Amino acid sequence: MNRKKDIYILACLFTVTFFSCKHGEGEYHSLYDKIEAESKVYHDTTMTSEAFLNDIKTIKITEGEHTFLIPERKGQIKSYACIECHTEPLDKLKSKDIKKAHWDINIAHADKSTMNCATCHNGNDMNNLNTLTGIKVDFNSSYKLCAQCHSSQFEDWKGGAHGKRIGGWVAPRASFTCVNCHNPHSPSFETRWPSRFNTEQIEESHEGLAH
Ligand code: HEC
Ligand code: HEC
Ligand code: HEC
Ligand code: HEC
C-alpha cells in the first residue's frame, strides 16, 4: 500500500519538474528573472493616460517626492475673478450693501470659534487664498490650505491613497484635488442610502439588472 503511494508521489514530483523545465533549460535562471522578462511588455512607455483626461485642464504640482497633475480651478469658480467686485477693503464693500453678496455660502466645517471667512480668504487680496500665517495661496493650489489642518489626509492624497485618479494608472498621474470632492465651505458628505436600495426584499433577476 505504502509503496504504491510512494510511486504516486514520485510520479507527481516528476511531472512538476518536467513541466517547470519545459520553457527551455537555462532560459531563466530564477523565478525573478522569469517574472522580470515576462512582465517587460507592461513597461510599455508608449502607453499614456492622457486620452482619459478629456477636456480637463490640469496643472503640474510637486509635493515632496510626488509630481502629478491636478485639475485647474480658477476657470471653474463662478465668481472668479473676485477683484471684479473686491476692489476695495471689505468694510467699505459691506457698508454699501445691505444684503449679503454671498448669502448662499454658509460654513458647516470647523467650529465658528476656530473658522470664519478670513481663515482662508484675505480681504485685502481676495484673488488669492490665505494660510493661517498669512501666506498667499493660489486658488489652483487650494489643497495647501487643507493640508494645514488635515495633514494625514494630505499625506495619503500625495501618495494616491486618499482621493481618486482622473484617468488611468499609467503615466501621467492625474488626481482630483480636495475641492473636486469636498466643498471647502461644507466639506463632509451627507449620509445617504445606496443608489440601488431594494425596499421590496425580493431577489433581483438578471432581467431586472438589465433595466
Ligand atoms: C459680484 C460681486 C462679487 C464677486 C465677483 C465676489 N464678491 Fe465677495 N463680496 C461682495 C460684496 C458686495 C461683499 C460685501 C457684502 C457682504 O458681506 O456680502 C463681499 C464679501 C465677501 C466676503 C466677506 C463675507 C463676510 O461675511 O464677511 C468674502 C470672504 C468674499 N466676499 C469672498 C469672495 C471671493 C473669494 C470671491 C471670488 C472667488 C468673491 N468674493 C467674489 C461681492 C462680490
Ligand atoms: C476652509 C477654508 C475656507 C473658508 C473658511 C471659506 N472659504 Fe470660501 N473658498 C475656499 C476655497 C478653497 C475656495 C475655492 C473652491 C474651489 O476651487 O472650487 C473658496 C471659494 C469661495 C468663493 C467662490 C465660490 C464660487 O463658486 O463662486 C466665494 C464667493 C467664497 N469662497 C466666499 C467665502 C465666504 C463668504 C466665506 C465665509 C462665510 C468663506 N468663503 C469661507 C475656502 C474657504
Ligand atoms: C484651520 C483648520 C482647517 C482648514 C484650513 C481646513 N479644515 Fe477641514 N476641518 C477642520 C476641523 C477643525 C474640522 C472638524 C473636526 C473634524 O471633524 O475633524 C474639519 C472637518 C473637515 C471635514 C469633515 C471631517 C469628517 O470627519 O466628517 C472634511 C472632509 C474637511 N474638513 C476637509 C477640508 C478641506 C477639503 C479643506 C481645504 C479646502 C479643509 N478641510 C480645510 C479644520 C480645517
Ligand atoms: C476623489 C474624491 C476625494 C478627494 C480628491 C479628496 N477626498 Fe477627502 N474624502 C473623500 C471621501 C469619499 C471621504 C469619506 C467620506 C465619508 O466617509 O463620509 C473623504 C474623507 C475625508 C475626511 C474625513 C476624515 C476621513 O479621512 O474619513 C477629510 C478630513 C478629508 N477627506 C480631507 C481631504 C483633503 C484634505 C483632501 C486633499 C488633500 C481630500 N480629502 C481629497 C473623497 C475625496
Side-chain angles (χ1 to χ4, degrees), residues 29-203:
H29 292 292
S30 67
L31 191 57
Y32 285 111
D33 287 353
K34 184 177 175 181
I35 291 170
E36 197 161 273
E38 296 198 353
S39 56
K40 278 231 162 82
V41 61
Y42 299 112
H43 297 158
D44 183 353
T45 49
T46 60
M47 279 209 288
T48 162
S49 289
E50 235 143 41
F52 304 106
L53 298 180
N54 299 321
D55 297 331
I56 301 176
K57 224 177 122 193
T58 54
I59 56 161
K60 193 183 242 176
I61 61 159
T62 297
E63 285 297 333
E65 57 191 87
H66 304 280
T67 296
F68 55 101
L69 304 171
I70 58 170
E72 180 277 344
R73 287 303 300 167
K74 285 193 262 195
Q76 306 297 318
I77 301 170
K78 270 180 288 162
S79 49
Y80 199 85
C82 316
I83 51 163
E84 277 175 27
C85 300
H86 288 276
T87 46
E88 29 180 18
L90 266 181
D91 45 341
K92 281 201 183 153
L93 272 180
K94 277 188 184 173
S95 56
K96 270 193 220 157
D97 266 17
I98 308 154
K99 278 189 185 166
K100 273 197 166 260
H102 308 295
W103 54 271
D104 53 335
I105 294 176
N106 295 301
I107 303 293
H109 194 159
D111 202 82
K112 272 207 175 70
S113 58
T114 33
M115 189 182 275
N116 57 38
C117 312
T119 309
C120 306
H121 300 287
N122 177 356
N124 300 319
D125 178 16
M126 221 36 123
N127 257 3
N128 289 292
L129 294 160
N130 181 48
T131 68
L132 296 170
T133 51
I135 296 164
K136 86 173 183 189
V137 169
D138 193 276
F139 269 89
N140 282 340
S141 315
S142 56
Y143 67 87
K144 286 185 179 160
L145 276 191
C146 320
Q148 299 176 102
C149 306
H150 302 290
S151 52
S152 65
Q153 284 81 9
F154 172 63
E155 287 301 320
D156 287 348
W157 175 77
K158 270 197 303 195
H162 188 107
K164 192 176 182 294
R165 287 202 178 205
I166 301 172
W169 283 94
V170 292
R173 172 184 165 191
S175 291
F176 286 111
T177 187
C178 315
V179 291
N180 286 125
C181 301
H182 298 287
N183 176 342
H185 306 130
S186 180
S188 57
F189 295 99
E190 277 175 31
T191 49
R192 59 176 196 187
W193 290 111
S195 59
R196 301 172 81 250
F197 180 62
N198 188 346
T199 52
E200 305 290 320
Q201 306 271 305
I202 37 172
E203 212 178 304

